Amino acid sequence: MTRDLPVWITLVLILVIAALLGAANLAGNPYVPTYVVSLAGKYLTYAMLALAVDLVWGFAGILSLGHAAFFALGGYAMGMYLMREIGPRGVYANPLLPDFMVFLNWKTLPWYWRGFDIFPFAVLMALLVPGLLALVFGWLAFRSRVSGVYLSIITQALTFALLLAFFRNDMGFGGNNGLTDFKDILGADLHADSTRVALLWITAILLCGQLLVCRFLVRSRYGKVLIAVRDAESRTRFLGYRVESYKLFVFTLSACMAGVAGALYVPQVGIINPSEFAPANSIEAVVWVAVGGRGTLIGAAIGAIVVNYAKTYFTSGPLAPYWLFMLGALFILVTLLLPKGIVGTFNSGGGSWKASRLFGNAESAATEDGVSEPHLAE
């Protein structure tokens, strides 16, 4: 129970803060305007992405530099639904085709847009599309025993290839401009305060749910095998475990989690475009995990929120041109001074304090019993 205390504290804090922010906004508190609610929701979706990265990197040793692709694919799935929701209220008043398709002289709706006018179908695609891509990619990579830096490079190449593909107008996803000008979701006005607050609360609940699922997974027998794969893959394979299957499952699950984060990100931010596929976004997610603490789960979420709050603060002032340098310096400093991240260092300090206390208690008890260290022979 003691080991799970930080997790429960984190869950309660996330839910309480989200509830207070939403309630204050709905009550008309001038210190919590709507943009703050949307910003908090965006931070929580980034925390979900960081959690997905930590699951594969912190517990399976798979350093993925392509998780932004899964995040963006989930976002595009939700964006397609939101575009279909606009209907005849668009600029060109076409009940079937989104505005950008009318502008580009598309005559019919592409087949892969069919069904996205149904919300459950869009949610399912936000899970399935990233999951299927990860399943196929992981099966090919892990079967070939690609690992280490080579796997990281391939994942980054994957997201860069998708970036270039989605930039093309003939792909049918809005090209460089992407998908935007959303009106409502499930009939609720996306610009209304109540909708923004509801999205924040839903994001907070799903983040807590993902955290609990990941915690259960890594504490199970399956999680122990994952850690063994991370620390000694060859030895684990020699013991008879199918390492590729374990890696493939956790990689696919992580991609689905990132897809859900992307689907929640889009209605709160109001736009999705190919820049979300940028390899730099995947690298940033790795930095969030490193800052918070790799292999801690709650550290990944905390790192995402802390770093993105710093990004919002510093990029809105005179230091904006230097943010990337500051981010790089932060990563270097954390690697050198706090290699276990914020939460990992805190846990290690707490463990050392407990160990020294136990040792001190044992030593005092031995002294009371008349037992002392043996003297060296003279």
Side-chain angles (χ1 to χ4, degrees), residues 203-330:
T203 306
I205 292 171
L206 289 179
L207 171 60
C208 292
Q210 287 193 359
L211 184 57
L212 288 175
V213 170
C214 291
R215 194 67 174 174
F216 171 78
L217 185 68
V218 300
R219 288 287 182 85
S220 66
R221 180 177 177 274
Y222 179 89
K224 290 178 171 56
V225 177
L226 278 183
I227 295 173
V229 171
R230 179 195 67 189
D231 296 338
E233 181 174 334
S234 299
R235 183 176 298 179
T236 307
R237 182 179 286 108
F238 178 76
L239 290 174
Y241 291 98
R242 299 195 56 163
V243 170
E244 293 77 16
S245 299
Y246 281 86
K247 282 184 167 184
L248 184 59
F249 175 79
V250 75
F251 189 70
T252 304
L253 175 63
S254 176
C256 292
M257 291 169 55
V260 172
L264 289 167
Y265 169 85
V266 170
Q268 298 183 85
V269 175
I271 188 172
I272 178 73
N273 58 41
S275 65
E276 298 297 336
F277 286 101
N281 292 346
S282 296
I283 296 173
E284 275 196 43
V286 172
V287 174
W288 304 339
V289 176
V291 170
R294 174 191 172 196
T296 60
L297 295 180
I298 58 174
I302 292 172
I305 295 171
V306 168
V307 174
N308 280 285
Y309 175 78
K311 181 179 181 179
T312 302
Y313 180 81
F314 287 112
T315 55
S316 59
L319 295 176
Y322 308 104
W323 165 247
L324 289 179
F325 297 100
M326 296 167 64
L327 183 64
L330 176 65

Side-chain angles (χ1 to χ4, degrees), residues 106-190:
W106 287 64
K107 303 302 180 184
T108 58
L109 190 71
W111 63 268
Y112 46 85
W113 275 76
R114 303 286 179 181
F116 277 96
D117 54 337
I118 304 171
F119 182 75
F121 179 82
V123 172
L124 183 63
M125 289 299 104
L127 279 167
L128 285 183
V129 174
L132 286 174
L133 177 62
L135 182 66
V136 174
F137 176 86
W139 184 79
L140 293 172
F142 301 141
R143 187 191 64 163
S144 302
R145 297 192 181 181
V146 179
S147 60
V149 67
Y150 303 105
L151 181 64
S152 301
I153 293 173
I154 293 174
T155 55
Q156 195 168 50
L158 171 68
T159 189
F160 189 69
L162 288 170
L163 167 69
L164 296 179
F166 274 73
F167 261 120
R168 297 170 59 91
N169 286 328
D170 56 3
M171 282 286 290
F173 296 108
N176 182 49
N177 296 321
L179 310 177
T180 187
D181 194 29
F182 309 131
K183 308 293 185 187
D184 52 42
I185 179 169
L186 291 174
D189 183 8
L190 270 177

